């Protein structure tokens, strides 16, 4: 579709794939070459979550992009846990989905970076998945540490796609995902030959705090994708603010939809 | 070709469709050409910086939204010196929504806005229910509403719109009071106070407790308020409350409104404003109205109406 000279579209898109992933997750692929090509990793769409019968919650739901890029379907991977995501999971190929986007500030990859580390928990990996392919396209090596409840929840293939990212997994089920254990893994990486030029995270407050602390200690820049309930998704209603540390040290309320969802790792405050 | 222009007091608008305060910003220019709108209406500006309310600030119902945002903002000085630069990029008349805690603060701020190039009118938010004091606001009573408007009227010559509240016993009396105090139009109406409770956590769903309810479920109430005010005053009524479709806008005009504001609908469909405008023109064309202003008040008691189609 033609975006008509405006960077954000309200588009009625055809569902081309809708399938459960693992026990709790679901994936949707939409036919929209122009919107997919215009989307960047870390951005999101505001989805009108109505099942094939038109039922669903009144407000849209923000959904981070799982798959995007020239020649790719626009994809979303989400945890089915409320009315909105249940309605999305009920969509079938051929159904239509109203999507507003692409929205927000995505991840930034700096020229000169050779290696990045991604730390993701649960479905937070969906937000970071398109970063692996963007990094690979720039010749950046991606090392990922994924945390999940159990091996059946991991979704390593959904994460890495064709990016060639190296994935290491830790689980609640065998205790390997405990924060001290993850800290030991990260320290070993940061002190070894594969020390990353930057780190990225999404999906867990505990892992965010750990990564923020260690990245500061080792002097490694980082970025985090934050989530927040939204109203308009465009920056008009000021419903989705989060506390962010400003350059002068003060704390300001910034809109996750407009100034985020990706923020500097050290500027974000715990939730 | 339908004549879509309307006059609101001394202000000429190219068409009667504008956004509702608090649900709009320059950010919407990412989606469509804001210069198509009849007017632009800012979020409420307050004299001083405001942090805004505790989260959550929004919760949805089956057909509407409760909000308690708390008017976060950088204050009047920042608005006049910084934010106005962005607003001046657009051509429609700029209506600045103004909120303040005292009559004197309203007057001082109105004078400052009148001295700021590019401000076409003031929408006095004397009805926002999210302020302190259990949601009480100037617009709850004719006397306090008139006092705020009279002070602003004395302080500036800009067109002055009074945004009325549904949270009052007799909105017609409030409308008459602000008309006598010098308002050029009434905007009817702001959100109605409501509440939602999280039964698992056993606390209100909104961080601030109560909130203002808006959206389609509020439309019949807002439409009734417009109908009452249109029969109470001679100044124009601007209808707002639950408008999501062109047919909704036609209803408000027929109930006595001269223009309409679209608010919460923009959250669900960011192209709701141009869709309402296009549909309104199409309705006039289909029913043979040469001027959109001919719709105003058609459904009021005692009016002569064209035959149904």
């Amino acid at each position: 579709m033609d975006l008509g000279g405006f960077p954000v579209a309200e588009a009625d898109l055809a569902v081309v794939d809708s399938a459960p992933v693992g026990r709790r997750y679901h994936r949707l692929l939409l036919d929209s070459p122009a919107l997919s090509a215009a989307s960047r990793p870390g951005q999101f769409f505001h989805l009108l979550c109505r099942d094939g019968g038109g039922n669903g919650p009144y407000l849209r739901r923000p959904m981070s992009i799982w798959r995007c890029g020239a020649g790719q379907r626009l994809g979303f991977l989400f945890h089915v846990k409320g009315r909105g995501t249940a309605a999305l999971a009920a969509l079938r190929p051929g159904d239509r989905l109203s999507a507003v986007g692409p929205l927000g500030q995505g991840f930034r990859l700096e020229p000169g970076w050779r290696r990045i580390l991604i730390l993701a928990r649960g479905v937070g990996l969906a937000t970071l998945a398109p970063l692996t392919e963007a990094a690979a396209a720039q010749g950046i090596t991606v090392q990922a540490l994924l945390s999940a409840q159990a091996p059946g929840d991991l979704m390593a293939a959904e994460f890495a796609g064709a990016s060639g990212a190296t994935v290491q997994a830790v689980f609640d089920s065998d205790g390997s995902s405990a924060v001290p254990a993850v800290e030991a893994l990260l320290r070993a990486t940061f002190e070894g030959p594969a020390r990353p030029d930057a780190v990225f995270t999404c999906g867990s407050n505990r892992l965010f705090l750990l990564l923020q602390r260690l990245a500061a200690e080792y002097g490694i820049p980082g970025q985090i994708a934050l989530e927040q309930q939204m109203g308009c998704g465009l920056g008009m209603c000021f419903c989705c603010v989060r506390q962010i540390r400003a350059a002068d040290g003060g704390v300001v309320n910034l809109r996750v939809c407009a100034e985020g969802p990706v923020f500097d790792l050290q500027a974000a405050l715990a939730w | 070709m339908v004549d879509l222009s309307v006059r609101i007091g001394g202000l000429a608008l190219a068409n009667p469709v504008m956004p509702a305060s608090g649900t709009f910003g320059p950010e919407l220019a990412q989606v469509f050409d804001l210069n198509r709108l009849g007017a632009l209406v800012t979020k409420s500006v307050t004299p001083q910086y405001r942090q805004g309310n505790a989260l959550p600030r929004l919760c949805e119902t089956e057909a509407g939204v409760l909000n308690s945002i708390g008017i976060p903002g950088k204050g009047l000085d920042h608005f006049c010196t910084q934010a106005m630069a962005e607003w001046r990029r657009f051509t429609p008349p700029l209506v600045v929504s103004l909120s303040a805690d005292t009559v004197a603060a309203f007057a001082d701020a109105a004078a400052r806005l009148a001295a700021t190039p590019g401000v076409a009118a003031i929408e006095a938010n004397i009805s926002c229910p999210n302020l302190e004091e259990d949601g009480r606001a100037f617009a709850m009573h004719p006397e306090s509403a008139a006092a705020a408007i009279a002070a602003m009227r004395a302080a500036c010559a800009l067109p002055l719109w009074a945004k009325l509240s549904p949270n009052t016993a007799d909105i017609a009396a409030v409308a008459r009071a602000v008309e006598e105090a010098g308002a050029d139009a009434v905007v009817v109406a702001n959100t109605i106070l409501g509440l939602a409770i999280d039964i698992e956590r056993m606390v209100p769903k909104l961080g601030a407790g109560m909130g203002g309810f808006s959206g389609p479920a509020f439309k019949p109430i807002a439409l009734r308020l417009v109908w009452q005010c249109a029969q109470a005053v001679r100044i124009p009524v601007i209808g707002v409350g639950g408008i999501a479709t062109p047919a909704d806008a036609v209803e408000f005009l027929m109930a006595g409104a001269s223009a309409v504001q679209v608010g919460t609908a923009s959250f669900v469909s960011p192209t709701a404003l141009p869709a309402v405008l296009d549909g309104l023109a199409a309705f006039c064309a289909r029913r043979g109205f040469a001027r959109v202003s001919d719709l105003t008040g058609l459904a009021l008691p005692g009016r002569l109406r064209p035959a149904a189609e």
Side-chain angles (χ1 to χ4, degrees), chain A residues 6-8 10 46 48 57-61 83 100 228-232 234-239 241 253 255, chain B residues 22-25 27 29-33 43 51 55 57-58 60-62 64 69 216 264 267-271:
Chain A
F6 295 94
V8 175
E10 179 179 345
H46 215 198
L48 193 62
Y58 176 68
L59 289 174
R60 288 174 182 267
R61 296 289 187 266
R83 276 184 76 193
V100 172
Q228 188 59 288
Q229 179 209 22
M230 290 184 189
C232 70
L234 287 159
M236 304 187 294
C237 74
F238 288 77
C239 154
V241 297
N253 277 333
R255 299 163 296 184
Chain B
T23 64
F24 176 72
E27 296 86 358
Q30 297 174 92
V31 187
F32 70 91
D33 180 7
K43 284 178 70 69
Q51 169 86 16
L55 273 62
R57 292 175 168 183
L58 209 66
E60 68 189 342
T61 71
E62 288 305 303
I69 306 288
T264 307
F267 293 4
V268 179
S269 170
T271 57

Side-chain angles (χ1 to χ4, degrees), chain A residues 128-141:
Chain A
L128 292 156
L131 181 64
T132 64
E133 295 185 347
Q138 293 186 28
I140 299 173
T141 301

Side-chain angles (χ1 to χ4, degrees), chain A residues 84-125:
Chain A
T85 47
L88 290 179
L91 289 169
R92 293 293 167 260
D95 286 341
R96 313 291 295 189
L97 172 62
S98 172
V100 172
L103 295 165
Q105 313 301 320
F107 296 108
R108 297 167 301 283
L109 288 172
E110 302 211 348
W113 284 352
R114 304 290 303 278
R115 176 184 294 276
I116 61 172
L117 179 136
I118 289 173
L119 177 62
R121 167 79 182 173
V123 79
L125 66 79

Side-chain angles (χ1 to χ4, degrees), chain B residues 90-225:
Chain B
F90 305 104
T91 54
L94 181 70
V95 181
V96 178
S97 173
L98 176 62
S99 183
D101 292 339
T102 66
V103 169
F106 260 121
D108 290 348
R112 176 80 191 272
L113 288 173
T116 304
V119 177
I122 293 173
E123 180 179 279
N125 180 8
I126 56 173
S127 56
C128 190
N130 292 330
L131 305 179
E132 298 83 2
E133 302 198 11
D134 202 30
R136 279 195 288 272
F138 291 94
M140 288 183 77
H141 303 291
E143 300 78 15
S144 50
I149 296 299
M152 281 182 271
R153 179 74 295 155
C156 79
L158 283 174
L160 194 51
W161 303 356
K163 187 160 183 181
L164 303 190
S165 172
N167 308 308
T168 181
D170 185 355
I171 198 165
V174 178
R176 279 191 296 268
V178 298
E179 179 181 38
E180 283 170 27
D184 298 289
V186 285
V187 183
V188 181
N190 210 316
T191 54
I192 190 163
L193 273 176
L195 180 69
I197 289 173
D198 180 332
I199 62 171
E200 298 302 326
R201 295 174 53 240
M202 304 178 210
V203 293
K205 285 185 177 177
L206 293 176
M210 297 187 296
F213 184 63
S214 63
F218 177 54
K219 196 193 80 174
I221 298 167
L223 192 63
R224 180 268 297 179
L225 295 165

Side-chain angles (χ1 to χ4, degrees), chain A residues 58-97:
Chain A
Y58 176 68
L59 289 174
R60 288 174 182 267
R61 296 289 187 266
M63 187 67 70
S64 61
I65 296 165
W66 167 55
R67 288 278 183 265
C68 68
Q72 285 213 63
R73 302 292 194 190
L74 183 63
F76 301 97
L77 176 66
F78 49 90
H79 184 187
V80 182
K81 63 179 176 186
R83 276 184 76 193
T85 47
L88 290 179
L91 289 169
R92 293 293 167 260
D95 286 341
R96 313 291 295 189
L97 172 62

